[in-house]
């Protein structure tokens, strides 16, 4: 009898568990690959632009520069890697070759390289030193190999140039260990008939460097954000239709299209917001004597405008002609890191109780409590029939808040199209922010409010509502006056 009762209890409880085990939320539309997901979650990337331009003061060399001017006699790639590591940049992408065609490594396919320069009497290989430093400091690396080469005698000769370029690409991809990003620039300057065999280049990278994401205006993994100021659109979709435009496309609507993406577009292309620490008003990719670094508060604003809109921030730090990061740039970078850490070190949502207007199947697996478990994959979700739903945050006591962070479980696609945040005060809900997309991360700055009750209302979603994390923060207002 005892056994029978136990058996019954088991059956009843299993039926109960089954009934409460709601189905997983189905992915919606285009979804990121494992490499894209990993890349987005890194949030930051560092660019290093270095070539003969450091010695001529130009931004675009024309290929006639003599390699004899290139002599970074204090080159210290350890310093680059250490600064990147200590300021929270997990990778550096170095210009192995910019438009001037000068190669930072002794390429077998041209003399226009470090091998013809006074640097280490022509015995140097900057990519080799850079690789060793990245390994030493545990950061990843990537290369920029400009398709537009203003020095090469093959440029404009069609196939001959593609073969030359492919040989150089092979040197980068095969001789310097693991590469996790390859950067294909779209600039081509004056009119030219040269076309590039991108599909061949990308196929080769896929085969030899399976962890690398490939950047160009169209992807295939990461796309340009449409400006060089480091800002994604206030509405920002990772999804886009990459068949609508090309690399280096100069049609006037293209930058705005790249900046925003397309809701429900067929291709997942991570948006990379690139800019330089140099040039307060016009982005300067190379180091010039009279330029100053951006201010910390400008960089923090850029961070909110890029990472905080769901894209990745690619920040360029150009070495001096001696081969070192400029002390002034380094100081700004450390201050930037300190500021970001200060803002986000204390999540004021700690200890909150969350409730939702709807919980998928009434199941604990989709409970709003998942929004504060620090896991970007676990999520609160609503039933399939609903394209709007809300979640309420009850804090243990009233707290002062002026920064809000939200994340979608983007492994399932990007879906939220409209939302608002409210605060409960004086017996009613008051709207403090009204926005569109969320994506990987959405950071909002609001006027400081003090309350123990907040609410996030998803007003419109392309598919079943789900969110993965919410954070509430406070910064003292010195740096982040609301924009
Ligand atoms: C552009 C180039 O023309 C600039 O010199 C720089 O390299 C930037 C990142 O991309 O298209």
């Amino acid at each position: 009898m005892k056994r029978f009762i136990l058996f019954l209890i088991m059956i009843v409880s299993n039926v109960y568990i089954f009934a409460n085990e709601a189905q997983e939320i189905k992915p919606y539309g285009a979804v990121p690959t494992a490499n894209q997901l990993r890349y987005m979650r890194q949030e930051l990337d560092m660019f290093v632009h270095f070539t003969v331009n450091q010695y001529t003061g130009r931004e675009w060399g024309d290929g006639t520069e003599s390699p004899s001017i290139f002599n970074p006699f204090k080159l210290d790639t350890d310093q680059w890697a250490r600064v990147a590591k200590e300021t929270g940049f997990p990778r550096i992408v170095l210009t192995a070759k910019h438009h001037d065609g000068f190669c930072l490594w002794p390429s077998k396919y041209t003399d226009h390289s470090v091998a013809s320069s006074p640097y280490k009497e022509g015995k140097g290989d900057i990519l080799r030193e850079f690789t060793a430093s990245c390994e030493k400091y545990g950061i990843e690396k990537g290369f920029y190999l400009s398709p537009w080469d203003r020095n090469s005698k093959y440029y404009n000769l069609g196939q001959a140039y593609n073969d030359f370029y492919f040989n150089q690409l092979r040197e980068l991809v095969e001789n310097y260990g693991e590469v996790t990003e390859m950067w294909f620039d779209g600039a081509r300057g004056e009119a030219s008939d040269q076309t590039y065999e991108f599909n061949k280049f990308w196929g080769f990278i896929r085969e030899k460097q399976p962890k690398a994401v490939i950047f160009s205006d169209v992807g295939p993994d990461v796309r340009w954000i449409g400006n060089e100021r480091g800002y994604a659109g206030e509405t920002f979709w990772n999804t886009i239709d990459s068949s609508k435009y090309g690399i280096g496309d100069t049609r006037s609507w293209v930058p705005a299209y790249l900046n925003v993406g397309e809701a429900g577009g067929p291709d997942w292309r991570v948006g990379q917001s690139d800019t330089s620490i140099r040039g307060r008003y016009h982005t300067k990719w190379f180091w010039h004597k009279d330029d100053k670094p951006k201010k910390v508060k400008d960089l923090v604003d850029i961070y909110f405008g890029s990472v905080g809109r769901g894209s990745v921030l690619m920040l360029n730090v150009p070495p001096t002609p001696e081969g070192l990061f400029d002390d002034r740039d380094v100081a700004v970078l450390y201050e930037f890191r300190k500021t970001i850490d200060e803002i986000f070190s204390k999540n004021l949502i700690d200890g909150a109780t969350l409730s939702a207007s709807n919980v998928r199947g009434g199941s604990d697996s989709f409970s709003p409590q998942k929004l504060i478990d620090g896991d970007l994959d676990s999520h609160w979700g609503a039933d399939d029939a609903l394209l709007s739903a809300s979640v309420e945050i009850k804090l243990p006591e009233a707290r002062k808040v002026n920064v809000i962070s939200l994340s979608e479980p983007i492994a399932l696609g990007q879906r939220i199209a409209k939302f608002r945040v409210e605060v409960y005060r004086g017996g009613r809900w008051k709207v403090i922010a009204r926005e569109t997309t969320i994506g990987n991360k959405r950071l909002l700055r609001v006027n400081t409010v003090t309350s123990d009750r907040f609410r996030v209302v998803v007003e419109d979603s392309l598919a079943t509502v789900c969110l993965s994390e919410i954070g509430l923060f406070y910064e003292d207002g010195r740096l982040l006056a609301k924009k």
Side-chain angles (χ1 to χ4, degrees):
M1 186 62 183
K2 231 178 171 179
R3 273 203 189 160
F4 182 67
I5 291 175
L6 262 170
F7 179 69
L8 269 184
I9 292 175
M10 250 174 64
I11 298 242
V12 170
S13 59
N14 273 340
V15 167
Y16 180 80
I17 289 168
F18 184 73
N20 276 279
E21 220 27 77
Q23 291 213 329
E24 293 297 324
I25 292 173
K26 281 207 204 71
Y28 168 75
V31 293
T33 61
N35 278 351
Q36 288 175 319
L37 195 58
R38 181 174 163 276
Y39 182 75
M40 276 185 282
R41 289 181 177 172
Q42 289 182 321
E43 297 184 359
L44 295 175
D45 217 356
M46 186 177 278
F47 230 165
V48 170
H49 272 65
F50 194 34
T51 183
V52 287
N53 293 347
Q54 255 80 357
Y55 306 87
T56 59
R58 287 185 173 162
E59 277 286 303
W60 278 4
D62 62 12
T64 62
E65 298 80 8
S66 164
S68 67
I69 61 175
F70 185 83
N71 192 11
F73 58 95
K74 289 190 188 158
L75 184 86
D76 183 4
T77 51
D78 272 7
Q79 183 224 19
W80 306 357
R82 189 176 60 246
V83 170
K85 179 77 182 181
E86 291 178 359
T87 57
F89 290 79
R91 179 190 305 93
I92 298 179
V93 176
L94 174 62
T95 53
K97 175 179 94 169
H98 201 251
H99 309 328
D100 51 71
F102 180 79
C103 300
L104 296 182
W105 80 103
S107 172
K108 277 201 283 188
Y109 303 95
T110 179
D111 292 335
H112 199 59
S113 81
V114 71
S116 311
S117 81
Y119 180 63
K120 294 197 170 167
E121 292 166 352
K123 306 259 170 345
D125 180 346
I126 292 177
L127 300 194
R128 181 84 46 222
E129 292 187 55
F130 170 64
T131 299
S133 299
C134 291
E135 280 167 11
K136 179 167 166 191
Y137 286 93
I139 63 166
E140 300 173 29
K141 69 175 184 302
F143 293 126
Y144 171 121
L145 184 69
S146 172
W148 184 33
D149 184 327
R150 305 177 83 182
N151 174 268
S152 173
K153 58 178 188 250
Y154 302 111
Y155 199 76
N156 272 328
L157 297 183
Q159 192 58 42
Y161 181 71
N162 276 302
D163 293 345
F164 164 78
Y165 185 89
F166 184 71
N167 283 331
Q168 292 199 323
L169 181 68
R170 186 191 280 275
E171 291 181 314
L172 301 190
V173 166
E174 289 186 340
N175 300 341
Y176 296 95
E178 186 170 74
V179 173
T180 60
E181 183 169 353
M182 285 298 299
W183 220 92
F184 292 89
D185 190 65
R188 47 193 303 128
E190 58 268 357
S192 117
D193 295 334
Q194 182 66 50
T195 55
Y196 310 110
E197 293 180 318
F198 283 121
N199 287 335
K200 176 176 168 189
F201 306 154
W202 297 344
F204 180 69
I205 293 166
R206 287 271 191 260
E207 187 194 319
K208 298 287 179 177
Q209 296 285 353
K211 273 178 82 182
V213 289
I214 301 173
F215 168 100
S216 84
D217 291 347
V218 300
D221 299 313
V222 182
R223 76 173 199 250
W224 185 44
I225 211 68
N227 64 67
E228 294 187 341
R229 293 178 297 103
Y231 287 88
E234 277 188 64
T235 295
F236 170 71
W237 296 97
N238 286 283
T239 47
I240 198 161
D241 185 344
S242 65
S243 69
K244 288 187 178 164
Y245 62 96
I247 298 178
D249 198 321
T250 50
R251 286 175 294 172
S252 61
W253 57 270
V254 175
Y257 182 61
L258 286 164
N259 197 237
V260 174
E262 188 172 318
D267 308 308
W268 191 279
R269 299 288 186 260
V270 179
Q272 183 192 81
S273 304
D274 64 341
T275 193
S276 182
I277 197 165
R278 293 239 140 194
R280 293 224 178 121
Y281 307 107
H282 299 287
T283 302
K284 300 282 185 66
W285 296 102
F286 293 90
W287 185 94
H288 306 284
K289 189 161 54 61
D290 297 329
D291 288 343
K292 294 196 178 81
K294 290 188 165 72
K295 297 198 168 131
V296 176
K297 94 176 193 336
D298 296 330
L299 284 187
V300 173
D301 193 67
I302 288 170
Y303 178 86
F304 273 75
S306 53
V307 174
R309 290 179 183 166
S311 90
V312 169
L313 171 58
M314 172 73 142
L315 184 65
N316 178 66
V317 186
T320 61
E322 289 81 37
L324 292 164
F325 282 176
D326 186 306
D327 287 345
R328 293 169 297 176
D329 299 4
V330 171
V332 169
L333 280 171
Y334 279 91
E335 199 53 39
F336 165 71
R337 169 50 48 199
K338 197 170 137 235
T339 309
I340 297 293
D341 286 349
E342 270 169 20
I343 299 172
F344 296 104
S345 62
K346 191 164 165 39
N347 193 340
L348 299 165
I349 209 163
D350 280 356
T353 308
L354 287 94
S355 56
S357 61
N358 177 278
V359 176
R360 190 171 181 78
S363 162
D364 282 350
S365 315
F366 296 98
S367 137
Q369 232 30 57
K370 301 276 179 200
L371 292 166
I372 57 171
D373 66 0
D375 177 352
L376 282 170
D377 288 313
S378 76
H379 42 272
W380 159 62
D383 287 321
D384 281 339
L386 296 172
L387 297 181
S388 60
S390 65
V391 61
E392 190 181 326
I393 301 154
K394 178 87 182 66
L395 302 178
E397 72 271 321
R399 291 175 182 166
K400 217 152 92 171
V401 169
N402 57 13
V403 175
I404 299 160
S405 165
L406 298 161
S407 292
E408 270 183 75
I410 45 162
L412 301 175
Q414 192 181 341
R415 56 188 72 208
I416 294 180
K418 200 169 167 209
F419 71 98
R420 64 177 193 269
V421 181
E422 299 175 330
V423 62
Y424 195 77
R425 271 211 342 234
R428 64 183 187 93
W429 288 105
K430 201 172 151 263
V431 178
I432 52 172
R434 200 184 274 279
E435 299 291 343
T436 53
T437 48
I438 293 180
N440 183 51
K441 184 176 264 187
R442 185 74 203 231
L443 298 175
L444 305 173
R445 282 173 276 185
V446 296
N447 291 326
T448 305
V449 282
T450 306
S451 177
D452 60 349
R453 283 173 79 186
F454 292 82
R455 184 159 78 171
V456 177
V457 182
V458 175
E459 297 177 14
D460 190 18
S461 177
L462 305 184
T464 305
V465 175
C466 51
L467 276 183
S468 61
E469 288 295 301
I470 300 185
L472 302 177
F473 306 90
Y474 175 72
E475 64 84 29
D476 65 13
R478 269 174 311 149
L479 288 156
L480 296 180
K482 194 188 161 205
K483 290 241 162 181

